[in-house]
Every structure is written in C-alpha cells, then in structure tokens.
Amino acid sequence: MLIIGITGGTGCGKTTVVNQIIKELSGEEVTVISQDSYYKDLSHLSFEERTKNNFDHPNSIDFELLKQHLLKLKAGETIQSPTYSFVEHNRTKETVLVKPTKVVIVEGILIFSHPDIRSLFDIKIFVHADSDERLIRRIKRDTTERGRDVNEVLNRYQTTLKPMHLEFIEPAKEFADIIIPNNRRNTVAIDIIKTIVHNRIFQ
C-alpha cells in the first residue's frame, strides 16, 4: 500500500491535485481520506460554542483515530471512517466503510503538523497557491457549500485562518517531498507523482 499525504493552505487546490492523481487509477485502486472527517466530536458543546471553536488548529483533529485507521488499512483491515457536518460544526453519527486499496490519499490542511501521521506517508505533497487566490476560493466554497455568510468567512480568515496558516501550515513545506504550484504549470509535478505511483504499485 502506498499512502500519499497532500496538504496546503485552505483553498489551495488540494482537491484538484487529488483528482488529477485519481484519473490515472481506477476507483478500486485508490481511496481518499479527508482530514475534515476526523474533526473531534463536539457533541458536548452547544451549537453556539461549536461555531467559536478553532477548527484550523491541530488540536481540533482526532489524530489518534486517524493514525489507528491508517495503520489498520496498511494492515489490510477495513475501517469505519467518521463523517463531519460543516453546517452543524460537528461529527455526525454516520460512518463510511473504507476498504484497503493499493493507494490511499490523505488530504487536509493540518496533516503534516502531526509527526506520527506524517511518518506514515510514503509521499508528502504540498500544494502552494497565492494567499489572495486561496481567500477567494474559501469565500466561494463556504458561502455556497457550507452555509456561511461573507462577513463570517472574512472574520474567521483574519482571526483564525491566516494566523493558523502562518503557524502550522506554511512551515510544513519543509516536510514536503514535492511542492506543487497550483496553476497551469503544475503538469510536470503531476506527471512526476503519477510516475512514482505507478512505479511503486505496479512494479
């Protein structure tokens, strides 16, 4: 099994990179696990309290559960991955059955911040994008998909997203094996990743 970690700031285009890699593999050969599914259960807090939680700090992620699940997949076992609701700001009661595959892609803004998780990645990829571009994408996504209003998104960006990016995400570049610029010139980097993946799982 090949485990690939893909990180970068919010709105950097991680999903685009993930999809470009998946295109080269059949659905049965690759599984994608999102860090967002592993936000800690905040059922003990009220909705109002949950909205004030700092979801961009590593402490918001249940890394121990993610680690257990990745180790189980690596051992050939199935897992029940949690699911998360961005509308409720909380983990839901539903889980998703995930089976081990040749390639497992783990994506999320904080996955390089935890040494144990980082050590499980065979390939570590950092997707870089301009901060203004990332903010615009975040506004579009959060207002259309997550029920946020613009003022809420901008306030969170200024008070939480930007400081957390500078403290935890940007420094993670030093752990990356490959840094991909998220623009039209990233085709060479994607081709390199595809070649590595094919060499590792089809040799």
Side-chain angles (χ1 to χ4, degrees):
M1 175 182 288
L2 188 70
I3 303 180
I4 303 173
I6 300 181
T7 193
T10 181
C12 70
K14 293 183 294 297
T15 302
T16 300
V17 174
V18 169
N19 289 337
Q20 286 175 302
I21 296 172
I22 290 175
K23 272 173 65 175
E24 294 300 302
L25 306 166
S26 72
E28 296 180 359
E29 294 169 335
V30 60
T31 297
V32 178
I33 293 177
S34 173
Q35 162 209 284
D36 293 351
S37 299
Y38 289 82
Y39 278 122
K40 290 179 179 176
D41 187 355
L42 300 179
S43 299
H44 59 289
L45 300 178
S46 67
F47 178 81
E48 184 69 23
E49 290 172 321
R50 294 199 299 269
T51 61
K52 296 175 182 177
N53 189 64
N54 183 356
F55 292 99
D56 297 280
H57 191 285
N59 288 342
S60 66
I61 308 297
D62 191 346
F63 281 120
E64 284 307 309
L65 180 60
L66 177 57
K67 177 184 174 182
Q68 290 174 24
H69 281 182
L70 290 177
L71 288 173
K72 282 187 175 182
L73 288 172
K74 207 166 185 176
E77 301 176 36
T78 59
I79 62 168
Q80 291 287 345
S81 175
T83 59
Y84 182 81
S85 169
F86 287 97
V87 175
E88 296 298 323
H89 299 278
N90 200 16
R91 192 182 290 183
T92 70
K93 294 181 179 180
E94 285 112 22
T95 59
V96 177
L97 179 68
V98 179
K99 298 179 180 179
T101 50
K102 290 183 178 179
V103 178
V104 173
I105 297 175
V106 184
E107 63 87 17
I109 64 172
L110 295 166
I111 57 173
F112 284 9
S113 69
H114 196 286
D116 290 351
I117 300 298
R118 204 168 58 233
S119 68
L120 292 173
F121 300 142
D122 299 294
I123 305 173
K124 296 180 288 294
I125 300 167
F126 189 101
V127 183
H128 171 79
D130 176 77
S131 58
D132 290 341
E133 187 176 339
R134 289 191 293 102
L135 174 58
I136 292 169
R137 288 177 182 166
R138 178 71 181 233
I139 292 172
K140 288 180 178 179
R141 184 188 68 188
D142 283 9
T143 53
T144 58
E145 298 177 16
R146 299 181 178 178
R148 315 279 196 265
D149 63 56
V150 174
N151 288 333
E152 180 185 357
V153 177
L154 290 175
N155 181 61
R156 184 176 285 271
Y157 178 81
Q158 292 175 318
T159 60
T160 306
L161 284 175
K162 187 175 180 180
M164 294 300 99
H165 178 87
L166 295 175
E167 184 173 355
F168 297 109
I169 301 169
E170 190 68 22
K173 277 183 179 178
E174 70 173 282
F175 301 115
D177 300 308
I178 300 172
I179 298 176
I180 300 179
N182 185 33
N183 54 37
R184 294 178 183 176
R185 298 185 294 278
N186 70 8
T187 53
V188 173
I190 294 296
D191 286 342
I192 290 171
I193 294 166
K194 290 173 183 175
T195 300
I196 294 171
V197 170
H198 278 285
N199 287 344
R200 292 286 292 273
I201 67 174
F202 297 117
Q203 59 186 356

